[in-house]
Amino acid sequence: MALSWNYDDMPDQTGRTVLITGASSGLGLVLADRLARRGASVIMAVRDVAKGERARAGLTGDLEVRQVDLADLDSVRSFVEGMRADRRRIDVLVNNAGIGGQTRELTRQGHESVFATNHLGAFALTGLLLDLFRPDHDPRVVAVGSNLYRRIKVRTDFEDLSAEGGFSPGTAYVRSKLANILFGAELDRRLRRAGSPVRSFLSHPGMASTPMHDSARTVAQRAMVTIGGALFSRPVEQAALPLAFAATDPAARTGVFLGFAPRKKDIRVHFDALVPPADDLALAARLWRISEEATGVRYLGDPVLAEGDDQRL
């Protein structure tokens, strides 16, 4: 299934509050701009406040910049505490922020930084914000994954959070994006079982022309970006369309990957079934337990679950 959809099709967002991580550049900035234009109040959650304020100054609408470093779980908790102190409520959370890394680096909590930023930070932020969603405003969580998981096979043990067993820039990124998909799908299953009105959507932009490409350092990486960009890369305005669709449109569905086909000329939003290992329920449950233990975040106050326990969320 595929739909032709563009920003003109976005429903009116007046009265809705959308929190977007990584909103100071790339996909997040485009999404913040487009949602604000349609009337949404947008919270731009960024690591660098000065950069975020410069980005916000070029936009129009109701936009606010708040600081959070998703690589630092203490920063994530401080961010949520600030939201609570200000009595902020939200309707949509777009877990857009993501990094790549050329070398193995560890966070303050001792986790490999790419996985920590792209997955663990999003896991913690989502869990800590869940009770701030307004139940009567079509509450949504949007995960931003990558369809590279179909083409690049990566380890799925997830237990080696510090990457002591080895680090490769490309596989570290793909592993983190696979984790985003597994988490987003598992979150929706748990929310449904709990009777929550919040829904969790999976989206991907395809290969987008974003600042992340600037991190390519080696000759091989730069060649891959150049060749891949020529064949598959889309302008960032276009690449953000599936994210906007997942965040706003009534026709969006959970449990499928909302994104583009590889062909650059096909700009429809496709509803793609998940394929192994992204559809592995046992793997998703294991990742959930690992993420709870690593972050200390228990969704709705649940304790860490034992292997095989079905009483989730």
Side-chain angles (χ1 to χ4, degrees):
M1 177 179 174
L3 292 177
S4 295
W5 195 89
N6 59 49
Y7 294 115
D8 292 336
D9 298 316
M10 184 189 296
D12 182 16
Q13 297 297 296
T14 302
R16 291 169 64 73
T17 298
V18 183
L19 195 162
I20 306 170
T21 63
S24 61
S25 64
L27 297 167
L29 181 58
V30 169
L31 194 58
D33 178 30
R34 290 293 183 169
L35 285 163
R37 289 193 207 181
R38 294 296 290 166
S41 296
V42 178
I43 299 172
M44 302 169 67
V46 302
R47 183 171 51 185
D48 184 335
V49 171
K51 180 180 177 181
E53 290 291 359
R54 289 193 298 270
R56 186 189 65 82
L59 308 180
T60 58
D62 182 5
L63 299 111
E64 173 191 1
V65 175
R66 289 191 175 228
Q67 196 277 335
V68 64
D69 182 356
L70 292 174
D72 183 353
L73 295 173
D74 293 335
S75 176
V76 173
R77 291 183 182 277
S78 294
F79 174 87
V80 176
E81 288 170 4
M83 292 281 290
R84 293 185 187 282
D86 294 339
R87 298 184 178 181
R88 298 303 303 270
R89 304 296 298 274
I90 62 175
D91 304 302
V92 181
L93 167 62
V94 182
N95 285 314
N96 164 74
I99 66 168
Q102 295 298 315
T103 59
R104 174 178 174 264
E105 297 181 6
L106 301 182
T107 67
R108 290 180 60 185
Q109 288 78 31
H111 305 137
E112 188 277 311
S113 62
V114 174
F115 192 80
T117 302
N118 296 1
H119 170 64
L120 293 177
F123 180 93
L125 181 67
T126 304
L128 293 170
L129 287 174
L130 263 185
D131 65 337
L132 298 187
F133 281 85
R134 294 188 289 190
D136 56 344
H137 280 62
D138 186 21
R140 301 183 179 206
V141 177
V142 179
V144 180
S146 170
N147 58 6
L148 286 174
Y149 85 91
R150 294 170 175 259
R151 300 173 178 83
I152 300 176
K153 300 302 180 183
V154 295
R155 297 190 345 264
T156 57
D157 49 27
F158 293 120
E159 282 84 1
D160 184 12
L161 294 179
S162 62
E164 291 183 359
F167 177 85
S168 167
T171 56
Y173 178 77
V174 175
R175 258 180 104 240
S176 72
K177 292 286 100 180
L178 172 61
N180 292 157
I181 302 166
L182 288 164
F183 163 52
E186 179 70 3
L187 175 61
D188 193 63
R189 289 188 289 268
R190 293 178 180 230
L191 290 169
R192 288 177 182 274
R193 283 197 292 268
S196 171
V198 182
R199 292 181 294 166
S200 175
F201 295 85
L202 309 173
S203 67
H204 76 90
M207 187 173 182
S209 301
T210 70
M212 187 177 291
H213 288 179
D214 297 337
S215 65
R217 294 181 184 174
T218 68
V219 173
Q221 288 172 349
R222 288 195 294 269
M224 183 177 296
V225 168
T226 300
I227 296 171
L231 295 175
F232 305 112
S233 186
R234 301 171 184 274
V236 67
E237 282 273 344
Q238 185 183 106
L241 277 169
L243 283 63
F245 177 79
T248 66
D249 200 277
R253 287 169 41 196
T254 64
V256 296
F257 216 9
L258 303 169
F260 291 122
R263 299 182 307 279
K264 290 174 67 172
K265 292 184 179 180
D266 187 350
I267 60 172
R268 297 173 298 166
V269 177
H270 289 250
F271 293 55
D272 292 331
L274 298 179
V275 300
D279 61 349
D280 188 328
L281 302 185
L283 177 60
R286 190 170 82 243
L287 174 64
W288 189 283
R289 287 190 289 274
I290 292 168
S291 303
E292 280 193 330
E293 292 168 358
T295 63
V297 174
R298 315 293 189 247
Y299 277 54
L300 303 185
D302 283 354
V304 176
L305 299 167
E307 187 77 27
D309 188 347
D310 289 328
Q311 301 303 311
R312 307 183 185 111
L313 193 61

